Amino acid sequence: MAMDTLRDLYIEELKDLYSAENQIVKALPKMAKKASDDELRDAFEEHLKVTKEQVKRLETIFGDLERSPRGKRCAGMAGLIEEGSDMMKEKAEPEVMDAALISAAQRVEHYEIAAYGTVRNFARRLGLTQHSKLLQQTLDEEGETDKRLTSIAESHVNPAASRAG
Ligand SMILES: [Fe+2]
């Protein structure tokens, strides 16, 4: 589609995020299954619930724009998920695999943080206050998830991984 206006770009980037979130919904159960650490598994399972709400938030925005959220595949997220799933196929000590899962998940979070920060700013610029609030909510959740993953890694997963093998 033509990207003549900031609104066009906004819609394109929202579609990209919609695809990204749906890819994450599919990937998270696999990551939870692969995790050995209870807290890490809980974090993935909880983030799955949060992600499903984030998908709904995007659907609300598309409803307001009277546009379909479909029609785009986020190649960036596909790449991140592919790297993660390649890593999950490796033979590894469980503690080291947990550290690897966190590393993959944080890449995903940072991609989302960048993308949501951008669309939130576009929404503000376009005077779409309600959208910017919804996008900010998701942005905050991604930030919290990222911090939680760092804390799980630093408190026990990385120390355990450093003793493995
Ligand atoms: Fe998300």
Side-chain angles (χ1 to χ4, degrees):
M1 77 163 269
M3 285 204 288
D4 296 326
T5 63
L6 185 63
R7 189 184 171 91
D8 294 338
L9 177 61
Y10 175 59
I11 292 169
E12 280 305 292
E13 298 218 356
L14 287 172
K15 282 188 179 188
D16 200 71
L17 271 167
Y18 188 73
S19 160
E21 294 288 18
N22 280 299
Q23 292 183 48
I24 295 166
V25 167
K26 280 192 200 143
L28 275 170
K30 296 173 200 164
M31 295 173 79
K33 212 175 148 195
K34 192 80 181 171
S36 303
D37 181 73
D38 289 339
E39 207 183 328
L40 181 58
R41 195 179 323 109
D42 286 351
F44 286 146
E45 283 167 359
E46 201 190 310
H47 196 59
L48 175 61
K49 286 185 206 143
V50 168
T51 302
K52 287 178 180 168
E53 292 305 311
Q54 295 174 343
V55 169
K56 284 189 200 153
R57 236 172 253 149
L58 288 171
E59 286 168 349
T60 301
I61 290 175
F62 278 101
D64 183 59
L65 291 163
E66 298 181 331
R67 294 293 295 262
S68 163
R70 298 183 193 283
K72 207 169 178 215
R73 175 178 174 270
C74 177
M77 188 55 67
L80 291 177
I81 288 175
E82 193 190 332
E83 276 194 5
S85 77
D86 285 348
M87 208 152 56
M88 281 162 58
K89 286 176 204 142
E90 300 285 342
K91 207 173 98 48
E93 291 297 319
E95 299 86 352
V96 176
M97 181 54 73
D98 282 347
L101 290 169
I102 292 173
S103 138
Q106 286 194 292
R107 282 172 168 77
V108 167
E109 289 313 311
H110 280 253
Y111 184 98
E112 289 190 287
I113 289 166
Y116 275 106
T118 298
V119 287
R120 184 231 23 224
N121 290 342
F122 288 170
R124 276 187 192 156
R125 183 65 53 188
L126 294 163
L128 301 165
T129 312
Q130 204 48 43
H131 294 197
S132 83
K133 282 184 189 154
L134 290 169
L135 296 167
Q136 182 67 53
Q137 223 176 318
T138 299
L139 183 58
D140 290 343
E141 289 169 354
E142 308 296 11
E144 280 158 25
T145 300
D146 181 52
K147 280 197 202 115
R148 185 171 176 195
L149 289 168
T150 297
S151 132
I152 294 170
E154 284 295 289
S155 65
H156 56 283
V157 168
N158 292 352
S162 77
R163 290 187 297 267

